Amino acid sequence: MVTVEDALAVVLRESLPLPAEEVALADALQRVLAEDVHADADLPPFDRAAMDGYALRAEDVALAPARLSVVGGVRAGEWPAMTVGPHQAVRIMTGAPVPGGANAVQPVETTRTLADGLVEIAGAVAPGANVAPRGCEVRRGDVVLPRGRRLDPAALAVLASVGCVRPRVGRRPRVAVLVTGDEVVDAASTPAPAQIRNSNGPAVAAQLRLAGAEVATLGLAPDRREALAAALARGFDADVLVVSGGVSAGDYDLVEPVLLEAGASFFFTRVAIKPGAPLVFGRRGATLVFGLPGNPVSAQVTSELFVRPCLLRLQGALPPLRPRATVELLAPVGNRSGRTSHAPALVRAREGRLLARPLRSLGSGDLVAHARANALVVMEAGRSHAAAGETAPALLLDSFLEDDGEPP
Ligand code: AMP
Ligand code: MG
Protein backbone atom coordinates (compact mmCIF):
# COMPACT_ATOMS: atom_id res chain seq x y z
CA MET A 1 0.00 0.00 0.00
CA VAL A 2 1.33 3.44 -0.88
CA THR A 3 0.49 6.51 1.16
CA VAL A 4 -1.92 9.14 -0.14
CA GLU A 5 0.96 11.60 -0.59
CA ASP A 6 3.14 9.14 -2.51
CA ALA A 7 0.23 8.07 -4.68
CA LEU A 8 -0.60 11.66 -5.53
CA ALA A 9 3.03 12.41 -6.31
CA VAL A 10 3.09 9.50 -8.77
CA VAL A 11 -0.15 10.67 -10.38
CA LEU A 12 1.20 14.19 -10.84
CA ARG A 13 4.55 12.90 -12.11
CA GLU A 14 2.82 10.84 -14.80
CA SER A 15 0.32 13.54 -15.81
CA LEU A 16 2.26 15.67 -18.29
CA PRO A 17 0.56 18.70 -19.80
CA LEU A 18 -1.15 18.08 -23.13
CA PRO A 19 -0.42 20.33 -26.13
CA ALA A 20 -1.94 23.81 -26.13
CA GLU A 21 -4.65 25.13 -28.43
CA GLU A 22 -6.31 28.47 -29.06
CA VAL A 23 -9.91 29.01 -28.03
CA ALA A 24 -12.34 31.88 -28.34
CA LEU A 25 -12.74 33.97 -25.21
CA ALA A 26 -16.38 32.89 -25.00
CA ASP A 27 -15.25 29.25 -24.76
CA ALA A 28 -12.37 29.83 -22.35
CA LEU A 29 -14.18 29.50 -19.02
CA GLN A 30 -12.38 26.95 -16.79
CA ARG A 31 -9.69 26.32 -19.38
CA VAL A 32 -6.06 26.58 -18.22
CA LEU A 33 -3.68 29.18 -19.66
CA ALA A 34 -0.74 27.61 -21.49
CA GLU A 35 1.34 30.80 -21.45
CA ASP A 36 1.69 34.05 -19.54
CA VAL A 37 -0.60 36.82 -20.78
CA HIS A 38 0.90 40.32 -20.99
CA ALA A 39 -0.79 43.70 -21.05
CA ASP A 40 -0.77 45.15 -24.57
CA ALA A 41 -1.08 48.69 -23.17
CA ASP A 42 -1.08 50.57 -19.89
CA LEU A 43 -4.21 50.17 -17.75
CA PRO A 44 -5.90 52.49 -17.49
CA PRO A 45 -4.71 53.66 -20.91
CA PHE A 46 -5.13 57.34 -19.93
CA ASP A 47 -5.55 59.38 -16.74
CA ARG A 48 -9.13 58.36 -15.99
CA ALA A 49 -11.77 60.25 -14.03
CA ALA A 50 -13.17 58.04 -11.27
CA MET A 51 -16.16 60.30 -10.50
CA ASP A 52 -18.62 62.58 -12.25
CA GLY A 53 -17.66 66.16 -11.35
CA TYR A 54 -15.10 68.80 -12.27
CA ALA A 55 -11.50 68.30 -13.33
CA LEU A 56 -9.43 71.05 -11.74
CA ARG A 57 -6.12 72.00 -10.16
CA ALA A 58 -6.17 71.04 -6.47
CA GLU A 59 -4.14 74.15 -5.58
CA ASP A 60 -6.97 76.37 -6.91
CA VAL A 61 -9.46 75.00 -4.36
CA ALA A 62 -7.14 74.63 -1.36
CA LEU A 63 -8.94 77.57 0.28
CA ALA A 64 -12.46 76.41 -0.63
CA PRO A 65 -15.06 77.54 -1.27
CA ALA A 66 -13.61 78.71 -4.55
CA ARG A 67 -15.07 79.86 -7.85
CA LEU A 68 -13.67 78.48 -11.09
CA SER A 69 -14.62 79.20 -14.67
CA VAL A 70 -15.87 76.21 -16.61
CA VAL A 71 -13.97 75.96 -19.89
CA GLY A 72 -15.68 72.87 -21.32
CA GLY A 73 -16.90 69.37 -20.74
CA VAL A 74 -15.55 65.90 -21.49
CA ARG A 75 -17.53 62.72 -21.57
CA ALA A 76 -16.41 59.09 -21.53
CA GLY A 77 -15.12 58.04 -24.92
CA GLU A 78 -14.12 61.58 -25.88
CA TRP A 79 -10.54 62.86 -26.02
CA PRO A 80 -10.36 66.32 -24.30
CA ALA A 81 -9.34 69.08 -26.67
CA MET A 82 -8.87 71.66 -23.89
CA THR A 83 -6.43 71.96 -21.00
CA VAL A 84 -7.20 73.27 -17.53
CA GLY A 85 -5.44 76.50 -16.58
CA PRO A 86 -5.33 78.41 -13.25
CA HIS A 87 -8.84 78.94 -11.78
CA GLN A 88 -10.42 76.87 -14.51
CA ALA A 89 -12.45 73.64 -14.37
CA VAL A 90 -13.78 71.14 -16.91
CA ARG A 91 -17.00 69.26 -16.35
CA ILE A 92 -16.07 65.56 -16.55
CA MET A 93 -17.84 62.21 -16.46
CA THR A 94 -16.64 58.93 -14.92
CA GLY A 95 -14.37 57.06 -17.31
CA ALA A 96 -13.39 60.14 -19.32
CA PRO A 97 -9.74 61.18 -19.81
CA VAL A 98 -8.69 63.93 -17.43
CA PRO A 99 -7.59 67.00 -19.45
CA GLY A 100 -4.03 68.23 -19.29
CA GLY A 101 -3.36 70.71 -16.50
CA ALA A 102 -5.92 69.21 -14.11
CA ASN A 103 -4.67 67.04 -11.26
CA ALA A 104 -7.89 66.13 -9.41
CA VAL A 105 -11.60 65.61 -9.89
CA GLN A 106 -14.02 67.14 -7.42
CA PRO A 107 -17.25 65.09 -7.30
CA VAL A 108 -20.33 66.93 -8.54
CA GLU A 109 -21.98 66.62 -5.10
CA THR A 110 -19.49 69.14 -3.63
CA THR A 111 -20.05 71.69 -6.39
CA ARG A 112 -22.70 74.19 -7.38
CA THR A 113 -23.26 75.62 -10.83
CA LEU A 114 -23.40 79.42 -10.90
CA ALA A 115 -24.36 81.87 -13.65
CA ASP A 116 -21.86 83.17 -16.22
CA GLY A 117 -20.05 79.85 -16.73
CA LEU A 118 -18.82 79.65 -13.17
CA VAL A 119 -18.84 76.76 -10.72
CA GLU A 120 -18.46 76.97 -6.98
CA ILE A 121 -16.31 74.23 -5.45
CA ALA A 122 -17.43 73.78 -1.85
CA GLY A 123 -14.50 71.80 -0.52
CA ALA A 124 -10.77 71.30 -0.97
CA VAL A 125 -9.54 68.19 -2.76
CA ALA A 126 -6.16 66.46 -2.54
CA PRO A 127 -3.94 66.38 -5.63
CA GLY A 128 -4.65 63.14 -7.47
CA ALA A 129 -8.06 62.66 -5.87
CA ASN A 130 -10.53 60.73 -8.03
CA VAL A 131 -8.04 60.31 -10.86
CA ALA A 132 -6.68 56.89 -11.80
CA PRO A 133 -3.39 57.79 -13.52
CA ARG A 134 -2.44 56.05 -16.74
CA GLY A 135 -0.72 52.72 -16.01
CA CYS A 136 -1.48 52.77 -12.28
CA GLU A 137 -3.13 49.34 -12.45
CA VAL A 138 -0.90 47.63 -14.99
CA ARG A 139 2.04 48.68 -17.17
CA ARG A 140 2.26 47.65 -20.81
CA GLY A 141 4.15 44.33 -20.95
CA ASP A 142 3.33 43.31 -17.37
CA VAL A 143 2.16 39.74 -16.84
CA VAL A 144 -1.54 40.10 -16.01
CA LEU A 145 -2.30 36.35 -15.84
CA PRO A 146 0.28 33.58 -15.37
CA ARG A 147 0.56 30.30 -17.24
CA GLY A 148 -1.31 27.60 -15.33
CA ARG A 149 -4.14 29.87 -14.22
CA ARG A 150 -7.56 28.27 -14.57
CA LEU A 151 -9.80 30.87 -16.15
CA ASP A 152 -12.66 32.11 -14.00
CA PRO A 153 -14.96 35.04 -14.82
CA ALA A 154 -12.54 37.59 -13.32
CA ALA A 155 -9.70 36.23 -15.46
CA LEU A 156 -11.89 36.45 -18.58
CA ALA A 157 -12.35 40.15 -17.81
CA VAL A 158 -8.57 40.57 -17.69
CA LEU A 159 -8.11 38.74 -21.00
CA ALA A 160 -10.74 40.95 -22.62
CA SER A 161 -9.17 44.13 -21.26
CA VAL A 162 -5.78 43.33 -22.80
CA GLY A 163 -7.32 42.21 -26.10
CA CYS A 164 -6.42 38.53 -25.66
CA VAL A 165 -9.52 37.19 -27.39
CA ARG A 166 -7.98 33.85 -28.41
CA PRO A 167 -6.03 32.66 -25.38
CA ARG A 168 -3.76 29.62 -25.67
CA VAL A 169 -4.95 26.96 -23.26
CA GLY A 170 -4.13 23.35 -22.51
CA ARG A 171 -6.15 20.86 -24.53
CA ARG A 172 -9.00 19.24 -22.62
CA PRO A 173 -8.18 15.65 -21.69
CA ARG A 174 -10.41 13.08 -23.39
CA VAL A 175 -11.55 10.73 -20.69
CA ALA A 176 -13.41 7.45 -21.17
CA VAL A 177 -15.49 6.18 -18.26
CA LEU A 178 -16.37 2.51 -17.95
CA VAL A 179 -18.64 1.20 -15.20
CA THR A 180 -18.34 -2.47 -14.30
CA GLY A 181 -20.38 -4.85 -12.18
CA ASP A 182 -22.84 -7.65 -12.94
CA GLU A 183 -25.28 -6.15 -10.44
CA VAL A 184 -25.20 -2.61 -11.87
CA VAL A 185 -28.01 -1.47 -14.18
CA ASP A 186 -28.71 1.83 -15.89
CA ALA A 187 -30.32 4.42 -13.61
CA ALA A 188 -33.30 4.64 -15.97
CA SER A 189 -34.30 1.03 -15.38
CA THR A 190 -35.97 -0.60 -12.39
CA PRO A 191 -33.44 -2.88 -10.71
CA ALA A 192 -34.40 -6.55 -10.40
CA PRO A 193 -33.78 -8.17 -6.99
CA ALA A 194 -30.00 -8.13 -6.33
CA GLN A 195 -29.41 -5.33 -8.79
CA ILE A 196 -28.54 -1.69 -8.08
CA ARG A 197 -28.65 1.43 -10.19
CA ASN A 198 -25.44 2.86 -11.61
CA SER A 199 -24.73 5.91 -9.50
CA ASN A 200 -20.96 5.99 -9.99
CA GLY A 201 -21.18 6.63 -13.72
CA PRO A 202 -23.06 9.92 -13.45
CA ALA A 203 -21.14 11.06 -10.36
CA VAL A 204 -17.66 10.36 -11.66
CA ALA A 205 -18.40 11.69 -15.16
CA ALA A 206 -19.66 14.91 -13.57
CA GLN A 207 -16.57 15.23 -11.37
CA LEU A 208 -14.35 14.78 -14.41
CA ARG A 209 -16.31 17.40 -16.37
CA LEU A 210 -15.92 19.86 -13.51
CA ALA A 211 -12.19 19.19 -13.74
CA GLY A 212 -12.24 20.15 -17.43
CA ALA A 213 -12.40 16.75 -19.13
CA GLU A 214 -14.28 15.82 -22.28
CA VAL A 215 -16.01 12.71 -21.06
CA ALA A 216 -17.12 9.76 -23.18
CA THR A 217 -19.10 7.12 -21.32
CA LEU A 218 -18.44 3.55 -22.41
CA GLY A 219 -21.53 2.18 -20.69
CA LEU A 220 -21.76 -0.83 -18.39
CA ALA A 221 -19.57 -3.93 -18.56
CA PRO A 222 -20.25 -7.22 -16.80
CA ASP A 223 -17.73 -9.03 -14.57
CA ARG A 224 -16.68 -11.39 -17.38
CA ARG A 225 -13.27 -11.44 -18.97
CA GLU A 226 -14.06 -11.22 -22.68
CA ALA A 227 -16.79 -8.62 -22.36
CA LEU A 228 -14.67 -6.57 -19.96
CA ALA A 229 -11.64 -6.77 -22.26
CA ALA A 230 -13.72 -5.60 -25.22
CA ALA A 231 -15.21 -2.71 -23.25
CA LEU A 232 -11.85 -1.59 -21.83
CA ALA A 233 -10.28 -1.67 -25.30
CA ARG A 234 -12.74 1.01 -26.40
CA GLY A 235 -11.08 3.35 -23.91
CA PHE A 236 -7.50 2.86 -25.06
CA ASP A 237 -7.49 5.82 -27.43
CA ALA A 238 -8.52 8.21 -24.66
CA ASP A 239 -5.98 10.29 -22.73
CA VAL A 240 -7.35 8.80 -19.53
CA LEU A 241 -9.47 5.70 -18.93
CA VAL A 242 -11.42 5.63 -15.67
CA VAL A 243 -12.97 2.33 -14.61
CA SER A 244 -15.40 2.01 -11.72
CA GLY A 245 -15.59 -1.23 -9.74
CA GLY A 246 -13.92 -4.59 -10.06
CA VAL A 247 -10.60 -3.68 -8.44
CA SER A 248 -10.97 -5.23 -4.98
CA ALA A 249 -10.23 -8.77 -3.86
CA GLY A 250 -13.48 -10.49 -4.90
CA ASP A 251 -13.63 -13.54 -7.17
CA TYR A 252 -15.14 -11.39 -9.94
CA ASP A 253 -12.94 -8.33 -9.59
CA LEU A 254 -11.33 -8.76 -12.97
CA VAL A 255 -10.31 -5.26 -13.99
CA GLU A 256 -6.66 -5.63 -12.96
CA PRO A 257 -5.93 -8.96 -14.66
CA VAL A 258 -7.79 -7.95 -17.81
CA LEU A 259 -5.90 -4.64 -17.98
CA LEU A 260 -2.61 -6.51 -17.50
CA GLU A 261 -3.47 -8.87 -20.34
CA ALA A 262 -4.22 -5.84 -22.51
CA GLY A 263 -0.70 -4.54 -21.92
CA ALA A 264 -1.22 -2.15 -19.02
CA SER A 265 1.31 -1.71 -16.23
CA PHE A 266 0.51 -0.36 -12.79
CA PHE A 267 2.23 2.23 -10.63
CA PHE A 268 0.16 1.21 -7.62
CA THR A 269 -2.90 -0.90 -6.91
CA ARG A 270 -3.67 -0.08 -3.28
CA VAL A 271 -3.50 3.22 -1.41
CA ALA A 272 -3.60 3.71 2.38
CA ILE A 273 -6.80 5.70 2.21
CA LYS A 274 -10.26 5.42 3.64
CA PRO A 275 -12.63 5.23 1.94
CA GLY A 276 -11.11 3.54 -1.06
CA ALA A 277 -8.07 1.34 -0.40
CA PRO A 278 -8.26 -0.54 -3.70
CA LEU A 279 -7.23 2.12 -6.18
CA VAL A 280 -5.39 1.27 -9.34
CA PHE A 281 -3.28 3.68 -11.33
CA GLY A 282 -1.34 2.64 -14.38
CA ARG A 283 -0.65 3.25 -18.00
CA ARG A 284 -1.41 1.44 -21.22
CA GLY A 285 0.49 2.97 -24.10
CA ALA A 286 -0.21 6.70 -23.94
CA THR A 287 -3.37 6.22 -21.90
CA LEU A 288 -3.37 6.74 -18.15
CA VAL A 289 -5.68 4.27 -16.42
CA PHE A 290 -7.47 4.63 -13.11
CA GLY A 291 -9.37 1.76 -11.51
CA LEU A 292 -11.65 3.23 -8.86
CA PRO A 293 -13.30 1.16 -6.14
CA GLY A 294 -16.98 0.53 -6.85
CA ASN A 295 -18.29 1.67 -3.49
CA PRO A 296 -20.00 4.95 -4.31
CA VAL A 297 -18.30 7.12 -1.68
CA SER A 298 -14.92 5.51 -2.38
CA ALA A 299 -15.34 6.12 -6.09
CA GLN A 300 -16.19 9.79 -5.58
CA VAL A 301 -13.50 10.46 -2.98
CA THR A 302 -10.71 8.78 -4.94
CA SER A 303 -11.84 10.50 -8.12
CA GLU A 304 -11.73 13.82 -6.30
CA LEU A 305 -8.33 13.18 -4.70
CA PHE A 306 -6.47 11.57 -7.59
CA VAL A 307 -8.27 11.83 -10.94
CA ARG A 308 -9.11 15.51 -10.60
CA PRO A 309 -5.47 16.57 -10.00
CA CYS A 310 -4.42 14.35 -12.92
CA LEU A 311 -6.87 16.07 -15.26
CA LEU A 312 -5.95 19.56 -14.10
CA ARG A 313 -2.24 18.76 -14.48
CA LEU A 314 -2.86 17.41 -18.00
CA GLN A 315 -4.35 20.82 -18.80
CA GLY A 316 -1.31 22.52 -17.29
CA ALA A 317 -2.92 23.86 -14.12
CA LEU A 318 -0.53 24.97 -11.37
CA PRO A 319 -1.06 23.89 -8.65
CA PRO A 320 -3.78 21.35 -9.32
CA LEU A 321 -4.75 20.69 -5.70
CA ARG A 322 -7.67 21.93 -3.69
CA PRO A 323 -6.82 24.01 -0.64
CA ARG A 324 -7.02 22.49 2.80
CA ALA A 325 -8.49 24.46 5.64
CA THR A 326 -8.07 23.90 9.36
CA VAL A 327 -11.51 23.36 10.89
CA GLU A 328 -12.77 23.15 14.48
CA LEU A 329 -14.63 19.93 15.13
CA LEU A 330 -18.08 20.22 16.71
CA ALA A 331 -18.13 16.48 17.43
CA PRO A 332 -15.47 13.78 17.69
CA VAL A 333 -14.06 11.97 14.66
CA GLY A 334 -12.49 8.53 14.89
CA ASN A 335 -10.16 6.71 12.54
CA ARG A 336 -9.22 3.20 13.46
CA SER A 337 -8.33 2.21 9.90
CA GLY A 338 -4.60 2.92 10.13
CA ARG A 339 -5.07 4.72 6.79
CA THR A 340 -5.62 8.38 5.99
CA SER A 341 -9.36 8.73 6.40
CA HIS A 342 -11.80 11.25 4.97
CA ALA A 343 -14.90 11.80 7.07
CA PRO A 344 -17.88 13.64 5.57
CA ALA A 345 -18.66 16.89 7.32
CA LEU A 346 -20.61 20.10 6.94
CA VAL A 347 -18.26 23.05 7.36
CA ARG A 348 -19.56 26.55 7.83
CA ALA A 349 -17.67 29.80 8.17
CA ARG A 350 -19.05 31.67 11.16
CA GLU A 351 -17.52 34.77 12.73
CA GLY A 352 -14.08 34.07 11.37
CA ARG A 353 -14.05 30.39 12.37
CA LEU A 354 -14.54 27.29 10.27
CA LEU A 355 -16.82 24.99 12.23
CA ALA A 356 -17.11 21.36 11.11
CA ARG A 357 -20.09 19.19 11.99
CA PRO A 358 -19.08 15.58 11.25
CA LEU A 359 -21.96 13.73 9.57
CA ARG A 360 -23.24 10.33 10.51
CA SER A 361 -22.25 7.96 7.72
CA LEU A 362 -22.59 4.21 7.44
CA GLY A 363 -19.42 4.05 5.39
CA SER A 364 -18.28 3.88 1.83
CA GLY A 365 -21.67 2.76 0.54
CA ASP A 366 -23.55 5.66 2.12
CA LEU A 367 -23.80 7.99 -0.85
CA VAL A 368 -26.71 9.92 0.63
CA ALA A 369 -24.67 10.89 3.71
CA HIS A 370 -21.80 11.83 1.40
CA ALA A 371 -24.08 14.11 -0.61
CA ARG A 372 -24.93 16.05 2.57
CA ALA A 373 -21.26 16.85 3.15
CA ASN A 374 -19.48 19.91 1.81
CA ALA A 375 -16.08 18.92 3.14
CA LEU A 376 -13.98 15.91 4.09
CA VAL A 377 -12.22 15.97 7.45
CA VAL A 378 -8.80 14.42 6.95
CA MET A 379 -7.46 12.17 9.70
CA GLU A 380 -3.86 11.12 9.11
CA ALA A 381 -3.08 7.40 9.36
CA GLY A 382 -1.60 7.72 12.86
CA ARG A 383 -4.42 9.83 14.33
CA SER A 384 -7.09 7.49 15.66
CA HIS A 385 -9.26 10.03 17.44
CA ALA A 386 -10.00 13.73 17.40
CA ALA A 387 -12.19 15.12 20.17
CA ALA A 388 -14.81 17.82 19.83
CA GLY A 389 -13.04 21.18 20.02
CA GLU A 390 -9.85 19.89 18.39
CA THR A 391 -8.84 21.02 14.94
CA ALA A 392 -8.22 18.95 11.84
CA PRO A 393 -7.44 19.64 8.20
CA ALA A 394 -10.39 19.48 5.82
CA LEU A 395 -10.77 19.38 2.06
CA LEU A 396 -13.45 21.84 1.07
CA LEU A 397 -15.65 20.58 -1.76
CA ASP A 398 -17.43 22.73 -4.35
CA SER A 399 -20.62 22.75 -2.30
CA PHE A 400 -18.77 24.53 0.53
CA LEU A 401 -19.19 27.76 -1.39
CA GLU A 402 -22.99 27.41 -1.34
CA ASP A 403 -23.68 28.27 2.29
CA ASP A 404 -27.35 28.01 3.26
CA GLY A 405 -26.96 30.30 6.30
CA GLU A 406 -28.11 27.59 8.71
CA PRO A 407 -26.40 27.36 12.08
CA PRO A 408 -23.50 24.90 11.97
P1 AMP B 1 -16.69 -3.48 -6.30
O1 AMP B 1 -15.66 -2.43 -6.16
O2 AMP B 1 -16.95 -3.86 -7.71
O3 AMP B 1 -16.35 -4.65 -5.43
O4 AMP B 1 -18.02 -2.86 -5.74
C1 AMP B 1 -18.12 -2.46 -4.40
C2 AMP B 1 -19.52 -2.04 -4.06
O5 AMP B 1 -19.88 -0.93 -4.85
C3 AMP B 1 -20.58 -3.09 -4.33
O6 AMP B 1 -21.54 -3.02 -3.30
C4 AMP B 1 -21.16 -2.65 -5.65
O7 AMP B 1 -22.47 -3.11 -5.85
C5 AMP B 1 -21.08 -1.15 -5.55
N1 AMP B 1 -21.00 -0.57 -6.89
C6 AMP B 1 -20.16 -0.96 -7.85
N2 AMP B 1 -20.33 -0.23 -8.96
C7 AMP B 1 -21.30 0.66 -8.68
C8 AMP B 1 -21.93 1.69 -9.44
N3 AMP B 1 -21.58 1.95 -10.70
N4 AMP B 1 -22.89 2.42 -8.84
C9 AMP B 1 -23.23 2.17 -7.57
N5 AMP B 1 -22.68 1.21 -6.82
C10 AMP B 1 -21.72 0.45 -7.37
MG1 MG C 1 -17.99 -5.34 -8.60
Side-chain angles (χ1 to χ4, degrees):
M1 277 221 244
V2 295
T3 64
V4 171
E5 291 71 31
D6 289 349
L8 186 58
V10 170
V11 167
L12 293 177
R13 183 193 74 207
E14 296 299 318
S15 306
L16 302 178
L18 296 167
E21 62 187 15
E22 274 187 9
V23 292
L25 192 54
D27 299 323
L29 182 63
Q30 297 200 332
R31 303 296 297 269
V32 177
L33 278 180
E35 57 195 20
D36 293 345
V37 174
H38 300 263
D40 68 334
D42 292 343
L43 286 180
F46 46 82
D47 296 344
R48 183 183 62 203
M51 302 284 270
D52 299 317
Y54 286 89
L56 44 72
R57 298 155 21 108
E59 53 271 36
D60 290 345
V61 297
L63 302 173
R67 293 182 171 196
L68 305 178
S69 71
V70 179
V71 295
V74 49
R75 49 197 288 176
E78 188 181 15
W79 192 255
M82 74 297 280
T83 56
V84 175
H87 307 291
Q88 292 183 336
V90 163
R91 195 163 165 78
I92 195 163
M93 302 300 136
T94 303
V98 174
N103 61 9
V105 170
Q106 180 62 288
V108 70
E109 292 79 3
T110 12
T111 69
R112 188 161 63 95
T113 310
L114 306 174
D116 303 326
L118 293 176
V119 62
E120 184 179 82
I121 309 292
V125 63
N130 303 314
V131 178
R134 171 178 178 164
C136 69
E137 289 155 9
V138 166
R139 288 279 177 197
R140 178 191 168 147
D142 283 354
V143 173
V144 286
L145 292 170
R147 178 172 66 91
R149 165 78 184 250
R150 201 161 185 228
L151 297 171
D152 55 8
L156 297 187
V158 174
L159 291 178
S161 71
V162 301
C164 182
V165 292
R166 291 195 63 79
R168 285 185 68 74
V169 296
R171 175 166 76 67
R172 280 183 192 283
R174 288 187 283 268
V175 184
V177 176
L178 178 67
V179 170
T180 74
D182 282 339
E183 75 283 30
V184 182
V185 297
D186 188 88
S189 51
T190 305
Q195 292 184 331
I196 56 159
R197 291 195 176 98
N198 170 26
S199 60
N200 289 351
V204 171
Q207 289 178 301
L208 308 183
R209 284 199 185 96
L210 285 178
E214 264 174 27
V215 177
T217 48
L218 302 180
L220 302 170
D223 297 318
R224 273 184 292 268
R225 279 179 183 268
E226 295 76 56
L228 196 53
L232 286 168
R234 286 190 287 128
F236 288 155
D237 58 355
D239 298 308
V240 183
L241 169 59
V242 178
V243 187
S244 146
V247 288
S248 18
D251 292 346
Y252 305 99
D253 289 323
L254 300 171
V255 169
E256 264 178 74
V258 170
L259 278 171
L260 277 177
E261 266 165 39
S265 54
F266 300 132
F267 301 109
F268 55 78
T269 56
R270 289 179 69 74
V271 177
I273 185 175
K274 186 181 166 221
L279 172 65
V280 172
F281 177 57
R283 176 185 281 287
R284 191 227 173 244
T287 304
L288 296 173
V289 183
F290 286 94
L292 307 183
N295 266 311
V297 183
S298 308
Q300 290 179 51
V301 170
T302 52
S303 155
E304 180 68 29
L305 289 180
F306 299 100
V307 189
R308 177 184 166 89
C310 162
L311 299 179
L312 290 172
R313 192 71 202 111
L314 289 176
Q315 294 165 85
L318 312 161
L321 303 178
R322 286 197 191 276
R324 281 182 183 210
T326 298
V327 299
E328 298 174 41
L329 299 172
L330 296 173
V333 177
N335 174 29
R336 258 157 274 118
S337 65
R339 301 174 259 152
T340 302
S341 84
H342 299 78
L346 257 178
V347 173
R348 294 210 167 90
R350 294 288 182 269
E351 289 160 12
R353 300 157 72 191
L354 286 176
L355 304 176
R357 160 110 22 229
L359 297 174
R360 177 177 173 273
S361 164
L362 298 179
S364 54
D366 196 347
L367 57 91
V368 177
H370 181 69
R372 290 194 189 107
N374 66 3
L376 300 170
V377 172
V378 182
M379 297 280 285
E380 299 302 335
R383 189 178 187 187
S384 61
H385 183 81
E390 287 185 28
T391 60
L395 288 168
L396 304 177
L397 305 176
D398 285 323
S399 49
F400 171 73
L401 293 175
E402 313 284 345
D403 194 322
D404 55 12
E406 295 279 316

